[in-house]
Amino acid sequence: MKVIIDIDTCIGCGSCVMCEPKVFKMIEEDGVDHAIVIAQPNIDMEANVEDALSNCPVSAISID
């Protein structure tokens, strides 16, 4: 499972970080908050990452 975030779509709500903080992190660039992927998930994290994908209000997360 490879996790990708479209930072142009991300609105910085942080729901992904709440679902799996070992994979997602919020950062601020040029005064705008958005999420980044800090680690690819292991098998134990996959359910939480799928929750993050389904909870993202703007569908900025994709899984390859």
Side-chain angles (χ1 to χ4, degrees), residues 23-41:
V23 173
F24 303 101
K25 178 181 178 178
M26 295 301 298
I27 64 167
E28 181 269 324
E29 288 182 329
D30 300 323
V32 178
D33 292 335
H34 65 85
I36 60 169
V37 175
I38 56 172
Q40 292 301 320

Side-chain angles (χ1 to χ4, degrees), residues 6-61:
D6 181 348
I7 61 170
D8 294 325
T9 302
C10 179
I11 60 171
C13 76
S15 64
C16 57
V17 177
M18 288 185 276
C19 289
E20 186 49 77
K22 293 178 183 174
V23 173
F24 303 101
K25 178 181 178 178
M26 295 301 298
I27 64 167
E28 181 269 324
E29 288 182 329
D30 300 323
V32 178
D33 292 335
H34 65 85
I36 60 169
V37 175
I38 56 172
Q40 292 301 320
N42 62 35
I43 193 91
D44 296 329
M45 299 174 192
E46 287 184 2
N48 291 343
V49 170
E50 289 173 3
D51 286 344
L53 185 140
S54 64
N55 286 316
C56 180
V58 294
S59 302
I61 305 169

